[in-house]
Amino acid sequence: MKDWFTVEQIDKDTFSISEYRHWEESHNYLLNGDNYSLLIDTGLGIENILEQVKKLTDKPVIAVATHIHWDHIGGHKYFPDFYAHEAELSWLNGEFPLTMEQIKGYVVEDCDLPDGFDVEQYEFFQGMPTKILKDGDIIDIGGRQIKVLHTPGHSPGHMCFYEKERGLLFTGDLVYIGTLFAYYPSTDPVAYLASIQRVAALPVKRVLPAHHDLNVPDTILADMEKAFLELKSAGKLHHGSGTHDYGYFSIWF
């Protein structure tokens, strides 16, 4: 049986560690610096991502999640040094707005699970971060500086991570090919638009999303900004307005 994780090299010291055997096709990113490595998202927690990380770095690893959803913090238990945004600390302390049964349903849905995986043993990671992040913070891993952008919309504390020198934008669940989820009660369509506008204004060479195809069009930020503005003009930028299709992506309110 093929491996659970697929590792792809983005540049000389940046890697994606992907979970293509799950319907969410989650991507986690390892950025190696001179002093530390930064792991952006730790995946579903179905298999041990630390084993893959050890093959790619011998530096101390800082883990950070774009947001506190099960498919982004599943491997946090392997990384005691982790950072989180202040707006979602309660979700790390028993107040996540979905039940474990709902989460387990998402975990096993349309998934080629590894032999021996028992969803009844699946846990939603809980813990206290070693650092609380806010908008504009810089994570310096030695020779690489990663800027924290608070980009709410998909979730209250959602963050994108921007490496200006290389033009890399790690967009989490804010931007990817496929259906953008903005229908949960904890989502905010108006904030989503503002976040899209913010990242669309950046000089970006490559968008690196948290799900699905890694090769996204260069125009994706501008295309999504245009779509959200059209929905606003049409009075549809609100929960319950439905799913709006724009070809290679759609927006579900």
Side-chain angles (χ1 to χ4, degrees):
M1 183 177 287
K2 61 183 178 180
D3 293 338
W4 178 257
F5 293 107
T6 300
V7 176
E8 299 168 76
Q9 191 160 4
I10 305 300
D11 62 24
K12 61 185 177 66
D13 43 22
T14 307
F15 301 86
S16 65
I17 305 174
S18 305
E19 297 172 276
Y20 287 114
R21 285 169 55 185
H22 193 271
W23 68 273
E24 293 190 273
E25 296 180 318
S26 297
H27 305 299
N28 315 287
Y29 296 97
L30 184 69
L31 286 60
N32 292 333
D34 296 334
N35 303 323
Y36 297 91
S37 291
L38 181 68
L39 181 60
I40 299 175
D41 291 335
T42 62
L44 285 144
I46 289 174
E47 285 209 348
N48 187 344
I49 194 172
L50 177 58
E51 294 176 356
Q52 297 299 316
V53 169
K54 285 180 176 178
K55 297 175 184 178
L56 301 170
T57 184
D58 59 1
K59 301 289 195 302
V61 178
I62 300 164
V64 64
T66 52
H67 58 299
I68 308 303
H69 282 175
W70 63 91
D71 50 321
H72 298 262
I73 62 167
H76 268 43
K77 60 187 176 183
Y78 303 112
F79 304 96
D81 190 9
F82 77 93
Y83 301 168
H85 191 272
E86 56 190 347
E88 292 177 1
L89 295 182
S90 65
W91 288 2
L92 288 165
N93 190 31
E95 296 183 22
F96 189 69
L98 294 181
T99 68
M100 275 310 302
E101 291 309 307
Q102 288 174 304
I103 292 170
K104 289 175 183 178
Y106 286 120
V107 169
V108 300
E109 179 183 343
D110 192 20
C111 178
D112 178 17
L113 291 167
D115 292 340
F117 175 74
D118 182 3
V119 71
E120 293 309 314
Q121 301 299 314
Y122 189 82
E123 297 178 344
F124 186 87
F125 176 79
Q126 302 283 268
M128 180 57 67
T130 51
K131 183 176 182 179
I132 297 172
L133 296 174
K134 62 182 184 301
D135 185 57
D137 283 349
I138 300 294
I139 303 173
D140 189 340
I141 57 175
R144 303 181 70 174
Q145 293 194 329
I146 315 302
K147 187 173 184 178
V148 175
L149 305 176
H150 180 212
T151 50
H154 177 75
S155 70
H158 189 284
M159 296 177 287
C160 292
F161 298 94
Y162 179 50
E163 187 173 11
K164 183 178 180 180
E165 185 176 1
R166 302 190 190 197
L168 301 179
L169 180 66
F170 301 88
T171 57
D173 282 10
L174 187 76
V175 171
Y176 55 82
I177 293 175
T179 301
L180 304 181
F181 293 164
Y183 65 91
Y184 295 114
S186 55
T187 64
D188 184 336
V190 174
Y192 211 127
L193 165 59
S195 293
I196 290 288
Q197 289 180 301
R198 183 180 185 188
V199 297
L202 297 171
V204 173
K205 294 180 180 177
R206 185 165 182 186
V207 169
L208 293 161
H211 297 289
H212 308 310
D213 198 334
L214 277 175
N215 298 304
V216 302
D218 294 340
T219 60
I220 193 167
L221 299 179
D223 290 346
M224 287 190 175
E225 180 182 28
K226 180 181 178 183
F228 271 85
L229 287 171
E230 287 177 356
L231 289 170
K232 180 182 179 181
S233 296
K236 296 179 179 179
L237 193 69
H238 61 81
H239 288 147
S241 69
T243 301
H244 310 279
D245 185 30
Y246 294 92
Y248 69 99
F249 69 91
S250 59
I251 306 166
W252 186 2
F253 290 138

